[in-house]
Amino acid sequence: MNYIESALNSNMVDVNSKLKNDATRNAEEVQKEIDKLNDLISISNEKIQRWQNAKLTADKYQKKTLSALIQGEKEILITNKLLLADEKEKQKEYLATAKAYVEASEIIKDSYKECIGNLNEDMEILDTSYDIWLQNTGKTASGADLLEKETGILNEKLKIQTDIVNNTKIAYDEMVEKYGAAHSESKALYSVLLDEVYAYNKITEAIEGVNMAQQASKNDSIFAMKNYLDTYKDVLSKEGFSDEDIYKVARRVSGYDKISEQEKIEIPVKLTVDNGDVKEVAEDISLTVNTHLEADEAYKNTGSQFAQALGDGFIEKFESVAGLMLAAVESTARDAAHSMQSAVNNNTTNYTFTSTAQTIYQQIEDAKRMEEMNKARGIT
């Protein structure tokens, strides 16, 4: 049971508003009777007060007559006050009934607002913690440390934004189910869903940008390591340092050790919204090179291959690894071209994600695994 269903089940919901409207109408009818009784009570009080004033100047027989009139009006006044109390109690019950039968749209909106409010607070806390880290550590942190921290923050933001998209989709689906897509509240939630998916995709783009910066930093560290070895390798060798120690120092001072220790960044899939369905967008070209298996393997081997080559024959060894990287890029381009051609031939596999059985994130993962199985079988 999702959070919207839980909220709906915990309330007396009248989707058609009939019971709520009936109770409200009854309360309004009772109010008319209350107003009428209040008027009668006011008239009685005025009569009693007027007759009591008249008794002050009346003779014996007139006072007797006025006293009888006052007594009769007091009895009427007491009766009307009792009736008024009954009508007020009746109205209280009708209003309580009307309040109990809340429209589903109000429950959906209120529970969604509470849920998203909590997630937005988590996002704000994450931003604040990052700002504090930058204040305290950012000025002295290395480029690698900054990239590592930014990657961690972006991944946490993506998790939160995924929850926001999921919960917005749940609220939208519930509203459409009960009122239809053309309902004003459904349209409002659809607009919010578009905004949240856009925010999700902006985070994926930021992660992709950090990944590219990390790869550039890795390449810079490789050339920095080469420059260090060109300058100091022969001198250190003559001083008795082993090649292993020299390369170890070169990797550390060039920053390559720090960069190579960083985990490979997984580029998340982007989402799109079509008629209320949240779908995965296949963007092979936009994914950076290190998502390709051959490219990833090349980077894993960079430490040993480049370290061995930096002393002598650097260019030749670099070209061999660069060739492997080029092959990876070409392979990625071929995969992208194949996907584009399949789209032209209307032969692509479309995945539609809903929020009923699984979260959108889980379904995306299932879709990715299915694609991998299809490729392994030679289906795609």
Side-chain angles (χ1 to χ4, degrees):
M1 181 184 297
N2 61 50
Y3 77 107
I4 293 290
E5 290 175 344
S6 176
L8 291 172
N9 289 341
S10 63
N11 290 272
M12 296 173 65
V13 182
D14 173 36
V15 175
N16 298 319
S17 302
K18 185 178 184 304
L19 296 177
K20 179 181 180 181
N21 291 337
D22 287 345
T24 302
R25 184 168 56 253
N26 289 334
E28 291 172 353
E29 291 298 324
V30 170
Q31 183 61 47
K32 293 178 182 178
E33 188 64 25
I34 290 173
D35 293 340
K36 180 181 176 181
L37 289 169
N38 280 325
D39 289 340
L40 293 174
I41 290 171
S42 296
I43 292 172
S44 292
N45 284 326
E46 290 174 1
K47 287 181 178 181
I48 292 169
Q49 185 63 46
R50 186 171 66 250
W51 290 334
Q52 286 177 340
N53 292 335
K55 284 177 65 177
L56 297 175
T57 57
D59 58 26
K60 182 179 178 180
Y61 296 103
Q62 288 174 329
K63 286 182 178 180
K64 187 176 181 180
T65 301
L66 290 171
S67 294
L69 290 172
I70 291 171
Q71 183 59 36
E73 198 62 39
K74 283 184 175 180
E75 291 176 0
I76 294 174
L77 179 63
I78 292 172
T79 300
N80 285 334
K81 284 185 175 181
L82 291 174
L83 290 173
L84 179 62
D86 290 341
E87 292 299 321
K88 285 185 175 180
E89 190 64 29
K90 190 186 300 182
Q91 184 188 52
K92 184 178 179 181
E93 291 177 2
Y94 282 135
L95 291 175
T97 301
K99 185 177 180 180
Y101 286 98
V102 182
E103 281 205 63
S105 61
E106 295 300 319
I107 296 175
I108 292 172
K109 286 191 297 182
D110 290 346
S111 55
Y112 169 72
K113 183 178 179 181
E114 180 180 358
C115 176
I116 298 303
N118 292 334
L119 290 171
N120 285 333
E121 286 180 4
D122 292 341
M123 191 76 82
E124 290 176 4
I125 291 172
L126 199 60
D127 284 332
T128 302
S129 67
Y130 182 54
D131 290 339
I132 293 174
W133 183 86
L134 287 176
Q135 277 185 335
N136 297 336
T137 312
K139 294 179 181 179
T140 58
S142 65
D145 290 331
L146 287 170
L147 288 174
E148 185 175 25
K149 184 67 176 179
E150 189 173 358
T151 298
I153 291 293
L154 286 172
N155 283 329
E156 289 299 316
K157 279 190 170 185
L158 192 69
K159 291 178 183 177
I160 296 173
Q161 190 60 35
T162 299
D163 286 341
I164 291 175
V165 171
N166 278 330
N167 286 298
T168 303
K169 183 66 165 57
I170 288 171
Y172 171 73
D173 287 344
E174 289 285 351
M175 197 72 78
V176 170
E177 180 181 349
K178 288 177 171 54
Y179 298 95
H183 190 262
S184 60
E185 300 294 353
S186 299
K187 290 181 178 179
L189 276 173
Y190 184 72
S191 178
V192 174
L193 180 60
L194 292 175
D195 291 340
E196 298 300 353
V197 168
Y198 177 78
Y200 175 96
N201 288 338
K202 292 298 290 183
I203 297 175
T204 68
E205 290 174 0
I207 292 175
E208 186 174 347
V210 171
N211 180 62
M212 294 175 67
Q214 193 178 81
Q215 297 306 322
S217 179
K218 184 178 290 187
N219 293 337
D220 289 343
S221 69
I222 291 171
F223 284 99
M225 186 159 52
K226 174 188 180 299
N227 292 335
Y228 179 89
L229 291 171
D230 285 346
T231 304
Y232 299 108
K233 183 176 185 298
D234 290 341
V235 176
L236 293 173
S237 295
K238 291 178 181 178
E239 292 294 328
F241 289 93
S242 67
D243 285 352
E244 182 180 355
D245 289 338
I246 295 172
Y247 288 132
K248 183 177 180 180
V249 173
R251 285 192 295 269
R252 187 174 68 252
V253 298
S254 64
Y256 180 78
D257 271 353
K258 183 66 177 178
I259 290 292
S260 61
E261 289 173 1
Q262 293 180 350
E263 295 183 2
K264 172 179 169 288
I265 299 176
E266 295 293 337
I267 306 298
V269 296
K270 289 189 176 182
L271 302 176
T272 186
V273 179
D274 182 22
N275 295 327
D277 291 329
V278 179
K279 300 179 180 179
E280 173 183 355
V281 178
E283 292 189 278
D284 294 358
I285 296 177
S286 72
L287 299 183
T288 49
V289 173
N290 80 317
T291 60
H292 193 283
L293 292 177
E294 292 181 1
D296 186 41
E297 189 62 30
Y299 275 121
K300 287 180 180 178
N301 294 332
T302 297
S304 59
Q305 293 188 31
F306 275 87
Q308 295 170 7
L310 284 172
D312 299 305
F314 173 85
I315 298 300
E316 178 183 355
K317 202 68 175 180
F318 178 78
E319 287 177 347
S320 68
V321 178
L324 181 58
M325 294 298 297
L326 180 60
V329 174
E330 290 174 346
S331 176
T332 301
R334 284 196 301 272
D335 290 342
H338 173 71
S339 296
M340 293 172 66
Q341 186 61 44
S342 296
V344 172
N345 295 335
N346 196 25
N347 192 35
T348 55
T349 301
N350 295 320
Y351 296 100
T352 301
F353 297 96
T354 64
S355 59
T356 53
Q358 300 170 292
T359 64
I360 294 170
Y361 178 79
Q362 290 171 328
Q363 293 175 72
I364 289 172
E365 293 300 309
D366 290 345
K368 290 165 64 178
R369 285 193 290 273
M370 181 61 70
E371 281 293 298
E372 292 172 358
M373 290 177 63
N374 287 341
K375 288 180 180 180
R377 296 170 182 169
I379 298 175
T380 58

